[in-house]
Coordinates of all heavy atoms in Angstrom, one line a residue:
T159 N -11.1 27.0 0.1 CA -12.0 27.7 1.0 C -11.3 28.8 1.6 O -10.1 28.7 2.1 CB -12.6 26.8 2.1 OG1 -11.5 26.1 2.8 CG2 -13.5 25.7 1.4
D160 N -12.0 29.9 1.9 CA -11.4 31.1 2.5 C -12.5 32.0 3.0 O -13.6 32.0 2.4 CB -10.4 31.8 1.6 CG -9.4 32.7 2.4 OD1 -9.8 33.4 3.3 OD2 -8.2 32.5 2.1
T161 N -12.2 32.8 4.0 CA -13.3 33.8 4.4 C -13.2 35.1 3.5 O -14.2 35.9 3.6 CB -13.0 34.2 5.9 OG1 -11.7 34.7 6.0 CG2 -13.2 33.0 6.8
D162 N -12.2 35.3 2.7 CA -12.2 36.3 1.8 C -12.7 35.9 0.5 O -12.0 35.2 -0.3 CB -10.7 36.9 1.7 CG -10.6 38.1 0.9 OD1 -11.6 38.6 0.4 OD2 -9.4 38.7 0.8
K163 N -13.9 36.4 0.2 CA -14.6 36.0 -1.1 C -13.8 36.4 -2.3 O -13.7 35.7 -3.3 CB -16.0 36.5 -1.1 CG -16.8 36.0 -2.3 CD -18.2 36.6 -2.2 CE -19.0 36.0 -3.4 NZ -20.4 36.6 -3.2
S164 N -13.2 37.6 -2.2 CA -12.5 38.1 -3.4 C -11.2 37.4 -3.7 O -10.6 37.5 -4.8 CB -12.2 39.6 -3.2 OG -11.3 39.8 -2.0
L165 N -10.8 36.5 -2.8 CA -9.5 35.8 -2.9 C -9.7 34.4 -3.6 O -8.7 33.8 -4.0 CB -8.9 35.7 -1.6 CG -7.2 35.4 -1.6 CD1 -6.5 36.6 -2.3 CD2 -6.8 35.2 -0.2
I166 N -10.9 33.9 -3.7 CA -11.2 32.6 -4.0 C -10.8 32.3 -5.4 O -10.0 31.4 -5.8 CB -12.6 32.2 -3.7 CG1 -13.0 32.3 -2.3 CG2 -12.9 30.8 -4.3 CD1 -12.3 31.2 -1.4
L167 N -11.4 33.1 -6.4 CA -11.1 32.9 -7.8 C -9.7 33.0 -8.2 O -9.2 32.1 -8.9 CB -12.1 33.7 -8.7 CG -13.4 33.2 -8.9 CD1 -14.3 34.1 -9.8 CD2 -13.4 31.9 -9.7
P168 N -9.0 34.1 -7.8 CA -7.6 34.2 -8.2 C -6.8 33.0 -7.6 O -6.0 32.5 -8.3 CB -7.1 35.5 -7.4 CG -8.4 36.3 -7.4 CD -9.5 35.3 -7.1
V169 N -7.0 32.6 -6.5 CA -6.3 31.4 -5.9 C -6.6 30.0 -6.7 O -5.7 29.4 -7.0 CB -6.6 31.2 -4.4 CG1 -6.0 29.9 -3.9 CG2 -6.1 32.4 -3.7
I170 N -7.9 29.8 -6.9 CA -8.2 28.6 -7.6 C -7.7 28.6 -9.0 O -7.3 27.6 -9.6 CB -9.7 28.4 -7.5 CG1 -10.0 26.9 -7.6 CG2 -10.5 29.0 -8.5 CD1 -9.7 26.2 -6.3
Q171 N -7.6 29.7 -9.7 CA -7.1 29.8 -11.0 C -5.6 29.6 -11.0 O -5.1 29.0 -11.9 CB -7.4 31.2 -11.7 CG -8.9 31.3 -12.0 CD -9.3 32.8 -12.4 OE1 -8.4 33.7 -12.3 NE2 -10.5 32.9 -12.9
R172 N -4.9 30.1 -10.0 CA -3.5 29.9 -9.9 C -3.2 28.4 -9.7 O -2.3 27.9 -10.3 CB -2.9 30.7 -8.8 CG -2.7 32.1 -9.1 CD -2.2 33.0 -7.9 NE -1.9 34.3 -8.3 CZ -0.8 34.8 -8.7 NH1 0.3 33.9 -8.8 NH2 -0.5 36.0 -9.0
I173 N -4.0 27.7 -8.9 CA -3.8 26.3 -8.7 C -4.0 25.5 -9.9 O -3.1 24.7 -10.2 CB -4.7 25.8 -7.5 CG1 -4.4 26.5 -6.3 CG2 -4.7 24.4 -7.4 CD1 -5.4 26.1 -5.1
S174 N -5.0 25.8 -10.6 CA -5.2 25.0 -11.9 C -4.1 25.3 -12.9 O -3.7 24.4 -13.7 CB -6.6 25.5 -12.5 OG -6.5 26.8 -13.0
R175 N -3.6 26.6 -13.0 CA -2.4 26.9 -14.0 C -1.2 26.1 -13.5 O -0.5 25.7 -14.3 CB -2.3 28.4 -14.0 CG -1.3 28.8 -15.0 CD -1.3 30.4 -15.2 NE -0.9 31.1 -13.9 CZ -1.8 31.8 -13.3 NH1 -3.0 31.9 -13.7 NH2 -1.4 32.4 -12.2
D176 N -0.9 26.2 -12.2 CA 0.3 25.5 -11.8 C 0.2 24.0 -11.9 O 1.2 23.3 -12.2 CB 0.5 25.8 -10.3 CG 0.9 27.3 -10.0 OD1 1.2 27.9 -11.1 OD2 1.0 27.8 -8.8
Y177 N -1.0 23.4 -11.8 CA -1.1 22.0 -12.0 C -0.9 21.7 -13.5 O -0.3 20.6 -13.7 CB -2.5 21.6 -11.5 CG -2.7 21.3 -10.0 CD1 -1.6 21.6 -9.2 CD2 -3.7 20.7 -9.5 CE1 -1.6 21.4 -7.8 CE2 -3.8 20.4 -8.1 CZ -2.8 20.8 -7.3 OH -2.9 20.5 -6.0
Q178 N -1.4 22.5 -14.4 CA -1.2 22.2 -15.7 C 0.3 22.4 -16.1 O 0.8 21.7 -17.0 CB -2.1 23.1 -16.6 CG -3.6 22.8 -16.6 CD -4.4 23.6 -17.5 OE1 -4.4 24.8 -17.4 NE2 -5.1 22.9 -18.4
D179 N 0.9 23.4 -15.6 CA 2.4 23.6 -15.9 C 3.2 22.3 -15.3 O 4.2 22.0 -16.0 CB 2.9 24.9 -15.2 CG 2.3 26.1 -15.9 OD1 1.8 26.0 -17.0 OD2 2.3 27.2 -15.3
Y180 N 2.7 21.9 -14.1 CA 3.5 20.8 -13.6 C 3.4 19.5 -14.4 O 4.3 18.7 -14.5 CB 3.0 20.5 -12.1 CG 3.4 19.1 -11.6 CD1 4.6 19.0 -11.1 CD2 2.5 18.1 -11.7 CE1 5.0 17.7 -10.6 CE2 2.9 16.8 -11.2 CZ 4.1 16.6 -10.6 OH 4.5 15.4 -10.2
S181 N 2.2 19.4 -15.1 CA 2.0 18.1 -15.9 C 3.1 17.9 -16.9 O 3.4 16.8 -17.2 CB 0.7 18.2 -16.6 OG 0.5 19.2 -17.4
G182 N 3.7 18.8 -17.5 CA 4.8 18.7 -18.5 C 6.2 19.1 -18.0 O 7.2 19.1 -18.7
R183 N 6.1 19.7 -16.8 CA 7.5 20.2 -16.3 C 8.5 19.1 -16.1 O 9.6 19.3 -16.6 CB 7.3 20.9 -14.9 CG 8.5 21.5 -14.3 CD 8.2 22.0 -12.9 NE 7.9 21.0 -12.0 CZ 7.5 21.1 -10.7 NH1 7.3 22.3 -10.3 NH2 7.3 20.0 -9.9
D184 N 8.3 18.0 -15.4 CA 9.2 17.0 -15.2 C 9.6 16.4 -16.6 O 10.8 16.0 -16.7 CB 8.6 15.9 -14.3 CG 8.5 16.4 -12.9 OD1 9.0 17.4 -12.6 OD2 7.9 15.7 -12.2
R185 N 8.7 16.3 -17.5 CA 9.1 15.7 -18.8 C 10.0 16.5 -19.6 O 11.1 16.1 -20.1 CB 7.7 15.4 -19.7 CG 8.0 14.8 -21.0 CD 6.8 14.7 -21.8 NE 7.0 14.1 -23.1 CZ 7.5 14.6 -24.2 NH1 7.7 15.8 -24.2 NH2 7.6 13.9 -25.3
R186 N 9.7 17.8 -19.6 CA 10.6 18.9 -20.3 C 12.1 18.8 -19.6 O 13.1 18.8 -20.3 CB 10.1 20.1 -20.3 CG 8.9 20.2 -21.1 CD 8.4 21.7 -21.3 NE 8.1 22.3 -20.0 CZ 6.8 22.3 -19.6 NH1 5.8 21.8 -20.2 NH2 6.5 22.9 -18.3
R187 N 12.0 18.8 -18.3 CA 13.3 18.8 -17.6 C 14.2 17.6 -17.8 O 15.4 17.6 -18.1 CB 13.1 19.0 -16.0 CG 14.3 19.0 -15.2 CD 14.0 19.0 -13.8 NE 13.3 17.8 -13.4 CZ 12.4 17.6 -12.5 NH1 12.1 18.6 -11.7 NH2 11.8 16.4 -12.3
D188 N 13.5 16.4 -17.7 CA 14.2 15.2 -17.9 C 14.7 15.0 -19.3 O 15.8 14.5 -19.5 CB 13.4 14.0 -17.5 CG 13.0 13.9 -16.0 OD1 13.8 14.7 -15.2 OD2 12.1 13.3 -15.5
I189 N 13.9 15.3 -20.3 CA 14.4 15.2 -21.7 C 15.6 16.2 -22.0 O 16.5 15.8 -22.6 CB 13.2 15.4 -22.6 CG1 12.3 14.3 -22.6 CG2 13.8 15.5 -24.1 CD1 11.0 14.4 -23.5
A190 N 15.5 17.4 -21.4 CA 16.6 18.3 -21.5 C 17.9 17.8 -20.9 O 18.9 17.9 -21.6 CB 16.2 19.7 -21.0
N191 N 17.8 17.2 -19.8 CA 18.9 16.6 -19.1 C 19.4 15.5 -20.0 O 20.7 15.3 -20.0 CB 18.5 16.1 -17.7 CG 18.3 17.3 -16.8 OD1 18.7 18.4 -17.0 ND2 17.5 17.0 -15.7
A192 N 18.5 14.6 -20.6 CA 19.1 13.6 -21.4 C 19.8 14.0 -22.6 O 20.8 13.5 -23.0 CB 17.8 12.7 -21.8
V193 N 19.2 15.1 -23.3 CA 19.9 15.7 -24.4 C 21.3 16.1 -24.1 O 22.3 15.9 -24.8 CB 19.0 16.7 -25.1 CG1 19.8 17.5 -26.2 CG2 17.8 16.1 -25.7
A194 N 21.4 16.9 -23.0 CA 22.7 17.4 -22.5 C 23.6 16.3 -22.3 O 24.8 16.3 -22.6 CB 22.4 18.3 -21.4
Y195 N 23.1 15.3 -21.6 CA 24.0 14.1 -21.2 C 24.6 13.4 -22.4 O 25.7 13.1 -22.6 CB 23.3 13.1 -20.3 CG 23.9 11.8 -20.2 CD1 25.0 11.6 -19.4 CD2 23.5 10.7 -20.9 CE1 25.7 10.3 -19.3 CE2 24.0 9.5 -20.9 CZ 25.1 9.2 -20.1 OH 25.8 8.1 -19.9
L196 N 23.6 13.1 -23.5 CA 24.1 12.5 -24.6 C 25.0 13.3 -25.5 O 26.0 12.7 -26.0 CB 22.8 12.1 -25.5 CG 21.9 11.1 -24.9 CD1 20.6 11.0 -25.7 CD2 22.5 9.7 -24.8
K197 N 24.8 14.6 -25.5 CA 25.8 15.4 -26.3 C 27.2 15.4 -25.7 O 28.2 15.3 -26.4 CB 25.3 16.9 -26.4 CG 24.1 17.0 -27.3 CD 23.7 18.5 -27.4 CE 22.6 18.8 -28.3 NZ 22.1 20.2 -28.4
Q198 N 27.1 15.4 -24.4 CA 28.5 15.4 -23.6 C 29.2 14.0 -23.8 O 30.4 13.9 -24.1 CB 28.3 15.7 -22.2 CG 29.6 15.8 -21.4 CD 30.5 16.9 -21.9 OE1 30.0 18.0 -22.2 NE2 31.8 16.7 -22.0
A199 N 28.4 13.0 -23.8 CA 28.9 11.7 -24.0 C 29.5 11.5 -25.3 O 30.5 10.9 -25.6 CB 27.9 10.6 -23.6
I200 N 28.7 11.9 -26.4 CA 29.3 11.9 -27.7 C 30.5 12.6 -27.9 O 31.5 12.2 -28.6 CB 28.1 12.3 -28.7 CG1 27.0 11.3 -28.7 CG2 28.7 12.5 -30.1 CD1 25.8 11.8 -29.5
A201 N 30.6 13.9 -27.4 CA 31.8 14.6 -27.5 C 33.0 14.0 -26.8 O 34.1 14.1 -27.3 CB 31.5 16.0 -26.8
D202 N 32.7 13.3 -25.8 CA 33.9 12.7 -25.0 C 34.3 11.4 -25.7 O 35.5 11.1 -25.8 CB 33.4 12.3 -23.6 CG 33.1 13.5 -22.8 OD1 33.7 14.6 -23.1 OD2 32.5 13.4 -21.7
L203 N 33.4 10.7 -26.4 CA 33.7 9.4 -27.0 C 34.3 9.4 -28.4 O 35.0 8.6 -28.8 CB 32.5 8.5 -26.9 CG 32.6 7.0 -27.4 CD1 33.6 6.3 -26.6 CD2 31.3 6.3 -27.4
T204 N 33.9 10.6 -29.2 CA 34.3 10.6 -30.6 C 35.8 10.6 -30.7 O 36.3 9.8 -31.6 CB 33.8 12.0 -31.2 OG1 32.3 11.9 -31.2 CG2 34.3 12.1 -32.7
P205 N 36.7 11.3 -30.0 CA 38.1 11.3 -30.1 C 38.6 9.9 -29.7 O 39.5 9.4 -30.4 CB 38.6 12.3 -29.2 CG 37.5 13.3 -29.0 CD 36.3 12.5 -29.0
K206 N 38.0 9.3 -28.8 CA 38.5 8.0 -28.3 C 38.3 7.0 -29.4 O 39.0 6.1 -29.6 CB 37.8 7.6 -27.0 CG 38.2 6.3 -26.4 CD 37.4 6.0 -25.2 CE 37.8 4.6 -24.6 NZ 37.0 4.3 -23.4
A207 N 37.1 7.0 -30.0 CA 36.7 6.0 -31.0 C 37.6 6.2 -32.2 O 38.1 5.2 -32.9 CB 35.3 6.2 -31.4
E208 N 38.0 7.4 -32.6 CA 38.8 7.7 -33.8 C 40.1 7.1 -33.5 O 40.9 6.4 -34.4 CB 38.9 9.1 -34.2 CG 37.5 9.7 -34.7 CD 37.5 11.2 -35.0 OE1 38.6 11.7 -34.6 OE2 36.6 11.7 -35.5
A209 N 40.6 7.4 -32.3 CA 42.1 6.9 -31.9 C 42.2 5.4 -31.9 O 43.1 4.8 -32.4 CB 42.5 7.6 -30.6
S210 N 41.1 4.8 -31.4 CA 41.2 3.3 -31.3 C 41.1 2.7 -32.8 O 41.8 1.6 -33.0 CB 40.0 2.8 -30.4 OG 38.8 3.2 -31.0
M211 N 40.3 3.3 -33.7 CA 40.2 2.8 -35.1 C 41.6 3.0 -35.7 O 42.1 2.1 -36.5 CB 39.1 3.4 -35.8 CG 39.0 3.0 -37.2 SD 38.5 1.2 -37.4 CE 36.9 1.3 -36.7
Q212 N 42.3 4.1 -35.5 CA 43.6 4.4 -36.2 C 44.6 3.3 -35.7 O 45.4 2.9 -36.5 CB 44.0 5.8 -35.9 CG 43.2 6.8 -36.7 CD 43.5 8.3 -36.2 OE1 44.4 8.5 -35.4 NE2 42.8 9.2 -36.9
R213 N 44.6 3.1 -34.4 CA 45.6 2.1 -33.8 C 45.4 0.8 -34.4 O 46.4 0.0 -34.8 CB 45.4 2.0 -32.4 CG 46.1 3.2 -31.5 CD 46.3 2.9 -30.1 NE 44.9 2.6 -29.5 CZ 44.2 3.5 -28.9 NH1 44.6 4.8 -28.9 NH2 43.0 3.2 -28.4
A214 N 44.1 0.3 -34.6 CA 43.9 -1.0 -35.1 C 44.3 -1.1 -36.6 O 44.8 -2.1 -37.1 CB 42.4 -1.4 -35.1
Q215 N 44.0 0.0 -37.4 CA 44.4 0.0 -38.8 C 45.9 0.0 -39.1 O 46.4 -0.7 -39.9 CB 43.7 1.3 -39.5 CG 42.2 1.1 -39.7 CD 41.6 2.4 -40.3 OE1 42.2 3.4 -40.3 NE2 40.4 2.2 -40.8
A216 N 46.5 0.8 -38.2 CA 48.0 0.9 -38.4 C 48.7 -0.4 -38.0 O 49.6 -0.9 -38.7 CB 48.6 2.0 -37.4
Y217 N 48.3 -1.1 -37.0 CA 48.8 -2.4 -36.6 C 48.6 -3.5 -37.7 O 49.3 -4.3 -38.1 CB 48.2 -2.9 -35.3 CG 48.9 -4.1 -34.7 CD1 50.1 -3.8 -34.0 CD2 48.4 -5.4 -34.9 CE1 50.7 -5.0 -33.4 CE2 49.0 -6.4 -34.3 CZ 50.2 -6.2 -33.6 OH 50.8 -7.4 -33.1
A218 N 47.3 -3.3 -38.3 CA 46.9 -4.3 -39.3 C 47.8 -4.1 -40.6 O 48.3 -5.1 -41.2 CB 45.4 -4.2 -39.7
L219 N 48.1 -2.9 -40.9 CA 48.8 -2.6 -42.1 C 50.3 -3.1 -41.9 O 51.0 -3.6 -42.8 CB 48.9 -1.1 -42.5 CG 47.5 -0.6 -43.0 CD1 47.5 0.9 -43.1 CD2 47.2 -1.3 -44.4
S220 N 50.9 -2.8 -40.7 CA 52.3 -3.1 -40.3 C 52.5 -4.7 -40.3 O 53.6 -5.2 -40.6 CB 52.7 -2.5 -39.1 OG 51.9 -3.1 -38.0

Side-chain angles (χ1 to χ4, degrees):
T159 56
D160 203 310
T161 55
D162 188 353
K163 183 178 181 180
S164 62
L165 200 59
I166 297 294
L167 271 181
V169 171
I170 207 72
Q171 289 171 351
R172 282 177 176 267
I173 294 177
S174 66
R175 185 171 63 250
D176 288 350
Y177 277 6
Q178 287 185 305
D179 292 341
Y180 165 78
S181 64
R183 183 186 66 187
D184 287 352
R185 181 183 186 277
R186 293 189 297 270
R187 180 190 60 207
D188 291 344
I189 292 182
N191 292 338
V193 170
Y195 165 77
L196 291 172
K197 287 182 177 179
Q198 184 62 41
I200 291 172
D202 294 340
L203 186 59
T204 299
K206 181 180 178 182
E208 293 177 352
S210 61
M211 181 60 70
Q212 290 174 0
R213 284 195 299 270
Q215 289 176 340
Y217 192 82
L219 289 173
S220 63

